[in-house]
Amino acid sequence: MTTLYLLNGPAKGRSFKLREGALFLGRSMDNDIQIEDKTLSRKHLRILRRGNRLFITDLKSRNGTFYGGYFLQPGMSIEIEEGSPIAVGMTVICIGEGCEQELVPFPDPHGLADREEDKNKGAVERRDKSDEKRTRLLSNLSDFFRANDSVEETLERIIGQVFHYLKRVDRAAFVLFDPEDHKATKVISKSKRKSDTSGTPYCPAVVMQVVETGMPFVVSNVQTETDTSLVNTLKVLKIESVMCVPLICRSKILGVIYVDSLERPYGFRREDYLLFMDLSQRIAVALEHARVASDLMAIADALSPDDEEE
């Protein structure tokens, strides 16, 4: 029986068996597959299984369904390939063979949930406000992905939202890599410090470790960490806290999301880390489709006849 996997979100790793016929996916309880994600519509997606063939239909959802490099036209059914990620709102799902390899085991870092200020009476109130901000952020990001902007413009807008959401962060960057040779191809970054004119707006050693291991790197307070060569590098660079999460799609590392704070430690909490995990999956899907589309266009250009030659 064909299986649907959740690749991100609080229920990451959960799976559902797809029976023959039609099933519905969405936020409300009356769906065959309920996903508690506020960027999903109550009834978001129809999945139809006919033998070995799979079809999906977006049900006029608010934030759309992204597959194969495009947002689906609401109400139009399309056939999909097994193992290809599908973004519904900010959630990424995958159906069939090849999906399990997309489940990257991100560790739950210690220390992020243990801050003293999270243990007092106002903790519940802050969590409620944090949930509201998170919902607004995810809604804004869904709108960004629906716009017909370039990859660079979309990532720049996401960085703007990161600064709005993480008030203690001083620098943010997307570092994109060639998935074959792991060479950096593009950096989109921003710093709150107007005096920051350094050529590299991130710690290269952190980024390279994340790219080489495929695992996130998180330090909430550099001063309390056990000394290692990497921690010592952060101290030399006067970085107080850092979070770097890989962008992985189809087992390929396409880049990283990087944020750090230079003025004070604890630039983020555990829920921010979990949010970045969700974002990394959604952004990686968009980047992979953009990369494939670019490769196909380059091939098409190479095969186009030269009108000047007779």
Side-chain angles (χ1 to χ4, degrees):
M1 187 178 287
T2 304
T3 304
L4 179 148
Y5 298 86
L6 300 186
L7 300 186
N8 69 346
K12 175 183 175 180
R14 194 177 174 193
S15 61
F16 302 84
K17 298 295 183 182
L18 303 185
R19 64 174 184 269
E20 185 77 12
L23 299 95
F24 292 89
L25 177 150
R27 201 178 71 245
S28 67
M29 294 180 63
D30 60 346
N31 288 285
D32 301 286
I33 300 172
Q34 182 193 14
I35 301 177
E36 295 182 3
D37 178 347
K38 292 182 180 179
T39 66
L40 266 67
S41 295
R42 292 177 61 81
K43 267 207 171 7
H44 196 109
L45 189 72
R46 178 177 181 263
I47 303 168
L48 177 63
R49 180 182 168 217
R50 289 179 178 166
N52 294 325
R53 302 178 70 188
L54 292 163
F55 302 84
I56 59 173
T57 308
D58 181 85
L59 302 175
K60 298 182 179 179
S61 64
R62 180 188 181 279
N63 291 316
T65 301
F66 187 82
Y67 173 77
Y70 301 95
F71 279 93
L72 303 190
Q73 184 175 337
M76 180 176 289
S77 179
I78 69 160
E79 186 170 3
I80 63 169
E81 295 181 5
E82 289 195 20
S84 297
I86 304 163
V88 284
M90 291 302 296
T91 292
V92 180
I93 64 174
C94 186
I95 302 175
E97 293 183 10
C99 293
E100 288 181 281
Q101 65 186 15
E102 299 292 328
L103 289 166
V104 182
F106 285 172
D108 192 3
H110 66 280
L112 291 185
D114 297 329
R115 290 174 55 191
E116 201 61 40
E117 65 179 279
D118 284 338
K119 297 178 182 177
N120 59 31
K121 295 181 186 177
V124 174
E125 213 177 291
R126 277 192 296 275
R127 279 197 296 270
D128 289 342
K129 288 182 179 178
S130 179
D131 286 343
E132 289 177 18
K133 284 200 302 182
R134 184 180 187 277
T135 299
R136 287 198 302 270
L137 171 64
L138 292 178
S139 179
N140 289 339
L141 294 184
S142 292
D143 291 339
F144 295 167
F145 286 120
R146 289 183 66 85
N148 292 320
D149 294 332
S150 67
V151 170
E152 291 81 1
E153 290 171 325
T154 300
L155 297 184
E156 285 174 359
R157 295 177 74 185
I158 292 174
I159 285 177
Q161 287 294 303
V162 167
F163 277 123
H164 182 72
Y165 182 72
L166 300 180
K167 301 296 186 184
R168 292 179 175 229
V169 162
D170 294 306
R171 301 188 301 182
F174 284 98
V175 187
L176 306 185
F177 286 82
D178 184 310
E180 306 303 327
D181 59 17
H182 288 177
K183 288 184 179 179
T185 59
K186 192 177 293 292
V187 177
I188 297 98
S189 65
K190 185 176 180 181
S191 174
K192 282 184 180 177
R193 290 173 141 194
K194 293 183 180 179
S195 59
D196 190 358
T197 57
S198 61
T200 306
Y202 57 88
C203 176
V206 168
V207 169
M208 288 315 301
Q209 175 170 308
V210 170
V211 171
E212 289 170 2
T213 63
M215 301 293 286
F217 179 84
V218 184
V219 173
S220 58
N221 186 350
V222 168
Q223 303 305 322
T224 61
E225 289 290 311
T226 303
D227 280 348
T228 64
S229 61
L230 190 49
V231 169
N232 288 334
T233 297
L234 294 172
K235 289 179 179 179
V236 169
L237 295 174
K238 300 184 189 283
I239 294 173
E240 296 294 334
S241 63
V242 61
M243 175 166 57
C244 187
V245 177
L247 304 172
I248 302 176
C249 185
R250 293 181 175 274
S251 303
K252 296 176 182 176
I253 297 180
L254 307 176
V256 301
I257 313 175
Y258 174 99
V259 296
D260 66 20
S261 56
L262 307 174
E263 301 292 339
R264 52 186 175 174
Y266 302 111
F268 35 80
R269 295 189 176 94
R270 181 175 178 275
E271 58 262 31
D272 302 323
Y273 167 74
L274 297 176
L275 173 61
F276 267 54
M277 285 169 49
D278 289 354
L279 290 181
S280 71
Q281 285 279 0
R282 180 64 179 83
I283 294 168
V285 171
L287 287 176
E288 173 64 5
H289 287 307
R291 187 184 70 85
V292 171
S294 178
D295 289 347
L296 291 175
M297 287 179 66
I299 293 171
D301 289 342
L303 295 176
S304 296
D306 190 340
D307 294 336
E308 295 180 1
E309 290 186 8
E310 296 294 340

